[in-house]
Amino acid sequence: MNIDMKTRRQSLSRLLGGLGVLGLGSMLGACSTPPAGEPAASVPPPRPAPRPPRIGLALGGGAARGFAHIGVIQVLEESGIRPDLVVGTSAGSLVAALYASGHGGAQLAQMADAMDESTIADWAFPLRGMIRGEALARYVRQQTGGRLIEQMPLPLGIVATDLADGQPILFRRGDTGTAVRASSSVPAVFQPVRIGDHEYVDGGLVAPVPVRFARQMGAELVIAVDISSPPEGGATGDAMRMLLQTFAIMGRSINSFELKEADVVLRPRLAGISSADFGARRRSISAGREIAQATLAELRSRIAARTR
């Protein structure tokens, strides 16, 4: 009888002990599990790294004054500022194509030194223009390795004007040499360029500095380089001077609207350098460097303000 009672007490003790363990486990579980209806605490995801704005470089027209674009590109490279796309008009289209194909500022300067303007001027019987322009197209193809516009390492846009209706066109695909030739075909100097069913002439007629087209290509911050010549008094002595004067007057009017859309406008000091002065290429490059260096602090500030 005493043995049986002792056995019962031991069994009851074990039972109560087991219930105690279960109760303690339930209490611990209750402490570790959030009450119904309350979300579990979570670690916030890491913030994404700041993203700088997509930078577009818009290079304007100005014939021989276009060498100034090279100086600007050199300073941007030296400062670690890499445009995400480039678009050019006329002389700017030539520099833009060479730059987009992978030529850096130093290489561009070497090419400028070695360039003989006679290699890009194929004279024609002057019915619709004194220069055919095929030599320029051939030069571009040689220097860019024959790449099509859409094959460039850096996204490239080239602006020309439809001769039939005066509408601008942004070339994003096709033969690079032909597009540069079209963009550079100053009426009465170069012959119009036929592409498909249309004829095209100088892009400076509609976009002397192609800021809006840089935006169209996706630029969030546009660096515009304006190398246009101001109208010069007494520049009407011959037909060529009259033509250049007409372009200068027209370009100034269009640029007053176009450049408002740019974030930073660089105007190299090119006084005394005419659009036909190919002998001043080193002075033009230096002028491009000087204005880029002078504007560098503003440019860095604009980029920092748009980084998010």
Side-chain angles (χ1 to χ4, degrees):
M1 183 69 177
N2 290 338
I3 294 175
D4 185 53
M5 182 63 70
K6 183 178 181 180
T7 301
R8 289 183 180 180
R9 286 177 179 174
Q10 289 175 345
S11 299
L12 181 60
S13 177
R14 285 195 296 268
L15 178 61
L16 292 175
L19 290 174
V21 170
L22 291 175
L24 179 60
S26 298
M27 291 175 63
L28 291 175
C31 291
S32 61
T33 304
E38 294 185 15
S42 60
V43 178
R47 287 186 177 184
R51 184 183 69 83
R54 185 171 169 80
I55 299 173
L57 182 60
L59 304 181
R65 293 159 67 97
F67 292 109
H69 293 315
I70 297 174
V72 171
I73 289 171
Q74 288 178 339
V75 172
L76 292 179
E77 286 184 340
E78 293 163 8
S79 305
I81 298 173
R82 172 74 175 176
D84 297 286
L85 58 93
V86 61
V87 56
T89 289
S90 198
S93 74
L94 172 59
V95 178
L98 299 178
Y99 179 51
S101 71
H103 294 295
Q107 290 176 298
L108 291 173
Q110 291 174 355
M111 294 167 68
D113 271 340
M115 180 183 289
D116 181 354
E117 55 267 31
S118 65
T119 63
I120 59 174
D122 44 355
W123 299 96
F125 188 74
L127 291 176
R128 305 186 72 198
M130 296 180 292
I131 300 176
R132 287 192 297 271
E134 182 51 42
L136 173 60
R138 186 165 53 249
Y139 174 81
V140 172
R141 294 185 194 109
Q142 290 172 349
Q143 300 299 331
T144 60
R147 290 188 183 91
L148 300 176
I149 296 173
E150 64 269 25
Q151 294 173 334
M152 294 296 178
L154 183 68
L156 169 66
I158 296 173
V159 179
T161 305
D162 191 319
L163 185 58
D165 57 13
Q167 291 298 311
I169 180 169
L170 176 65
F171 289 108
R172 297 292 311 279
R173 302 183 63 82
D175 182 74
T176 307
T178 301
V180 170
R181 176 187 173 190
S183 181
S184 306
S185 292
V186 179
V189 178
F190 283 81
Q191 294 179 352
V193 178
R194 178 168 289 277
I195 302 175
D197 296 330
H198 295 260
E199 285 189 315
Y200 297 98
V201 291
D202 197 307
L205 293 170
V206 289
V209 185
V211 175
R212 60 186 146 144
F213 295 101
R215 297 282 186 200
Q216 184 176 321
M217 290 174 64
E220 298 167 328
L221 186 148
V222 177
I223 305 169
V225 187
D226 178 15
I227 58 168
S228 59
S229 304
E232 299 177 358
T236 56
D238 56 54
M240 182 57 66
R241 287 181 177 273
M242 288 177 62
L243 181 64
L244 293 176
Q245 178 82 338
T246 301
F247 270 90
I249 294 169
M250 181 183 62
R252 170 172 285 190
S253 176
I254 298 173
N255 270 347
S256 65
F257 296 98
E258 187 89 10
L259 293 175
K260 289 180 180 179
E261 299 300 318
D263 295 279
V264 179
V265 180
L266 281 65
R267 292 186 175 92
R269 297 179 180 89
L270 296 167
I273 301 176
S274 75
S275 299
D277 192 354
F278 282 86
R281 61 193 74 184
R282 291 190 181 184
R283 286 173 55 200
S284 296
I285 292 174
S286 294
R289 289 188 60 87
E290 289 171 5
I291 193 61
Q293 289 167 341
T295 318
L296 196 55
E298 177 190 356
L299 179 54
R300 289 189 186 280
S301 176
R302 293 295 183 97
I303 293 173
R306 299 288 295 275
T307 299
R308 58 186 186 277

